Amino acid sequence: MIAEAAIAVILFASGCARSDSEHFHNIGSSTMANDSFEVATFGAGCFWCTEAIFSRLDGVISVVPGYSGGHVPNPTYEQVCTGRTGHAEVCQITFDPKRISYDELLEVFWKTHDPTTPNRQGNDVGTQYRSVIFYHSDAQRQRAEHYKRLLTESGAFDAPIVTEIVPFEQFWPAEEYHRNYFERNPEKAYCALVIRPKVEKFEKVFRSKLRQAQ
């Protein structure tokens, strides 16, 4: 069970407020459209859910679903679903650090999935659904490890946090039909029964951080 208040207090007390002095250099990402933008790569279960959540945040420029952390080049969705490629379903998030900080993205990451279930989110089971942060710089690694440690020590979760924190190496964009999946397929059962309730809860908790259009 997630103690949302505890997570918010920990992140705020440790400097989760935006800071123009914090700058994370990102290497190896093809999504950078502007030198002032930064990139985060998170795996938090099904990338349809992750994309639907992070794309609603003010300051997020783009969210691209895809695959990272495996050993098969340019994998297909069908290959990743076997669990034998080593990849996790992830979203690569390009954001403007002047509008939203990496720490704030970490807060959303840990509050919107269960980081205590190895290789599982709800009924989605397999290594491709593992909780993972692929850091793009040493600064990102330090922030992710710092907050994971604080959350563990605080007892914010009823079970140990199993989120992997590993260096970013390669990102393979998912097939076109996965992009904006929730927005384009709201009537499908998975979207209606799994993603929509998650998004609605997220919008209530993070109301102040949503895009103005929301």
Side-chain angles (χ1 to χ4, degrees):
M1 180 178 180
I2 300 176
E4 293 177 348
I7 296 175
V9 169
I10 288 170
L11 293 175
F12 179 79
S14 300
C16 106
R18 300 172 195 175
S19 172
D20 290 341
S21 65
E22 287 184 326
H23 185 75
F24 303 100
H25 297 283
N26 302 285
I27 301 172
S29 171
S30 61
T31 63
M32 295 291 285
N34 185 308
D35 287 342
S36 66
F37 296 160
E38 297 172 9
V39 172
T41 303
F42 298 143
C46 174
F47 51 23
W48 298 340
C49 296
T50 309
E51 179 192 42
I53 287 171
F54 281 92
S55 63
R56 284 167 161 70
L57 290 168
D58 183 44
V60 167
I61 307 304
S62 69
V63 181
V64 180
Y67 318 108
S68 283
H71 56 270
V72 175
N74 198 25
T76 65
Y77 181 65
E78 289 71 22
Q79 288 176 315
V80 173
C81 283
T82 67
R84 295 194 293 268
T85 70
H87 291 90
E89 289 192 13
V90 302
C91 281
Q92 192 161 89
I93 303 157
T94 301
F95 64 102
D96 183 349
K98 294 181 179 179
R99 294 162 60 192
I100 189 167
S101 69
Y102 185 70
D103 291 21
E104 289 174 297
L105 296 180
L106 287 174
E107 181 184 5
V108 173
F109 169 79
W110 265 305
K111 275 190 178 179
T112 54
H113 81 294
D114 186 350
T116 70
T117 52
N119 303 324
R120 179 172 188 165
Q121 288 297 310
N123 291 325
D124 294 327
V125 180
T127 56
Q128 68 270 30
Y129 299 117
R130 64 188 183 272
S131 176
V132 57
I133 296 170
F134 292 97
Y135 59 83
H136 291 255
S137 70
D138 192 55
Q140 286 190 357
R141 177 189 63 77
Q142 290 180 29
R143 301 312 286 169
E145 290 179 347
H146 175 67
Y147 291 135
K148 180 180 177 180
R149 182 173 64 255
L150 290 182
L151 289 171
T152 297
E153 293 172 351
S154 74
F157 297 92
D158 293 337
I161 297 173
V162 298
T163 304
E164 298 176 9
I165 300 175
V166 296
F168 172 82
E169 293 183 356
Q170 181 69 55
F171 172 78
W172 304 97
E175 295 83 347
E176 180 62 31
Y177 71 89
H178 290 295
R179 303 185 185 185
N180 297 313
Y181 191 86
F182 175 61
E183 307 300 334
R184 296 193 298 184
N185 302 278
E187 76 290 345
K188 290 189 178 293
Y190 190 89
C191 293
L193 300 177
V194 178
I195 304 179
R196 185 177 301 283
K198 205 169 184 179
V199 167
E200 290 175 348
K201 180 180 179 181
F202 157 76
E203 289 179 335
K204 290 179 181 178
V205 174
F206 290 94
R207 187 180 305 277
S208 65
K209 289 182 171 57
L210 299 179
R211 294 180 185 278
Q212 292 298 318
Q214 295 297 322

